[in-house]
Amino acid sequence: MRVFTTVENLKTYIKDASKISSTIGFVPTMGALHDGHISLVNKCLNENDIVIVSVFVNPTQFNNAKDLDNYPRTLEVDIELLKKSSKNIIVFAPTAKNLYKGQPESINYDFGGLENEMEGKFRPGHFDGVGTVLKFLFEAVTPTKAYFGEKDFQQLQIVRKLVKLEKFPIEIVGCEIFREAHGLAYSSRNERLTKQQRQEAKIIYETLLNVKNQFGTKSVTELNEMVSQVFEDQELFELEYFEIANLKNLETATYIKSHEKYRAFIAVFADDVRLIDNIALN
Ligand code: PAF
């Protein structure tokens, strides 16, 4: 298993390796790997000659210093887990100083308004941080294909926009949400839930499924009220937002147009642990 900690060493390796191999698949992560990540890695292994997984907790995408401090850092365990999928995986775990070529700072991106919806409203500057780190990672890794989970659906749309803006010749592959047996979407943050919170967190996916089942028979206002009520009726989770958004631009829908596609998005807190999820509605 090769682990590179500098852009320079990774690039030298890629230059040599790509003389004999043609495609580079890339799975960017912030570590604390779980089965959701591994499903992306396995898909990437099936579709590419070289597979690179980055493990980098990106400071510029955290708008909350406590969240950044609390983010789990488990590189050794992550490497062991990746080895189970393949010992040929290349791990890229740079320092912030090396990747950002100095002090980490975000570029101000215009993602055409996508950055101002949902996560953008609640996490100011988050998508500039994501865009910036991915620009540096893409430049270092030069992937043919890069893999992202649909749990961060808004992020996935932003990444598609980023590769257009930066003219990166990279195919962005969106992968279905990987869920725990009772429905909770896999996330590194799940590890920070208490046993009871983790068990009861199935309410998030159950609520989304309920919305999907009633989509088309209830109005957007009624569905919004239904979700608010679900979270008012229990004490473990606090609803930050629930929205039905147009797939085209992720703008909040107030009513449904029959020819458009929609998705429901949710963010909740369990104490200070923030969980997000989403579901296609039509
Ligand atoms: O989804 C994540 O884990 C991060 O936002 C990413 C894409 C690795 C960028 O830091």
Side-chain angles (χ1 to χ4, degrees):
M1 194 95 174
R2 281 171 192 271
V3 181
F4 292 99
T5 56
T6 68
V7 172
E8 298 70 24
N9 290 349
L10 178 74
K11 282 194 158 201
T12 307
Y13 172 83
I14 290 174
K15 204 171 161 202
D16 289 344
S18 48
K19 283 181 194 147
I20 38 173
S21 305
S22 50
T23 60
I24 301 176
F26 179 39
V27 182
T29 82
M30 296 209 296
L33 301 182
H34 50 65
D35 289 358
H37 292 116
I38 298 303
S39 72
L40 302 187
V41 170
N42 289 340
K43 187 169 167 62
C44 186
L45 280 163
N46 281 336
E47 298 180 358
N48 299 278
D49 303 322
I50 301 173
V51 168
I52 303 180
V53 176
S54 63
V55 175
F56 178 69
V57 181
N58 174 34
T60 62
Q61 72 187 75
F62 286 82
N63 54 316
N64 176 334
K66 207 168 148 210
D67 200 18
L68 173 61
D69 287 346
N70 285 336
Y71 207 87
R73 288 155 174 91
T74 56
L75 184 59
E76 295 310 315
V77 182
D78 292 341
I79 291 172
E80 288 311 309
L81 195 63
L82 288 170
K83 268 187 199 161
K84 289 188 194 159
S85 286
S86 164
K87 291 205 171 77
N88 294 330
I89 293 169
I90 310 297
V91 175
F92 180 43
T95 60
K97 197 172 162 203
N98 179 264
L99 184 67
Y100 277 86
K101 303 180 183 82
Q103 187 65 20
E105 265 174 33
S106 287
I107 298 166
N108 267 332
Y109 278 107
D110 176 355
F111 292 117
L114 281 175
E115 71 279 25
N116 301 324
E117 304 299 330
M118 299 177 293
E119 291 298 286
K121 282 183 206 150
F122 289 90
R123 304 183 69 187
H126 171 68
F127 288 122
D128 277 341
V130 171
T132 307
V133 78
L134 287 174
K135 171 186 153 59
F136 286 123
L137 287 168
F138 286 160
E139 282 169 356
V141 174
T142 60
T144 323
K145 290 185 180 187
Y147 296 74
F148 293 85
E150 286 187 346
K151 180 174 78 70
D152 298 294
F153 192 85
Q154 191 175 2
Q155 169 173 279
L156 173 62
Q157 303 303 86
I158 295 260
V159 179
R160 293 191 196 285
K161 189 82 190 179
L162 175 77
V163 295
K164 278 195 194 137
L165 288 175
E166 296 282 2
K167 299 190 174 56
F168 287 129
I170 304 171
E171 183 187 332
I172 301 302
V173 184
C175 305
E176 266 182 36
I177 300 176
F178 207 73
R179 298 183 181 280
E180 298 190 4
H182 65 330
L184 175 65
Y186 269 104
S187 162
S188 306
R189 293 190 166 96
N190 295 357
E191 295 304 320
R192 293 184 47 224
L193 297 172
T194 64
K195 205 169 167 214
Q196 190 198 6
Q197 286 170 336
R198 192 157 180 168
Q199 188 51 40
E200 298 298 325
K202 63 177 191 244
I203 193 175
I204 301 168
Y205 185 49
E206 280 172 1
T207 306
L208 289 179
L209 282 176
N210 245 333
V211 169
K212 186 180 173 88
N213 289 338
Q214 302 197 44
F215 183 76
T217 56
K218 283 199 159 105
S219 69
V220 172
T221 310
E222 285 169 330
L223 290 170
N224 288 343
E225 281 168 6
M226 183 183 92
V227 175
S228 298
Q229 196 57 53
V230 168
F231 285 91
E232 267 168 37
D233 290 347
Q234 54 73 59
E235 285 180 347
L236 280 183
F237 304 98
E238 195 185 324
L239 182 64
E240 185 176 47
Y241 68 77
F242 168 78
E243 278 192 19
I244 293 178
N246 191 319
L247 196 62
K248 204 170 50 190
N249 45 22
L250 298 189
E251 281 174 13
T252 312
T254 47
Y255 64 97
I256 301 306
K257 297 180 194 158
S258 56
H259 54 284
E260 302 272 14
K261 293 268 181 224
Y262 296 90
R263 222 168 160 105
F265 294 83
I266 193 165
V268 306
F269 277 99
D271 294 328
D272 64 340
V273 184
R274 190 168 182 277
L275 302 169
I276 59 169
D277 202 346
N278 67 84
I279 196 166
L281 295 175
N282 61 346

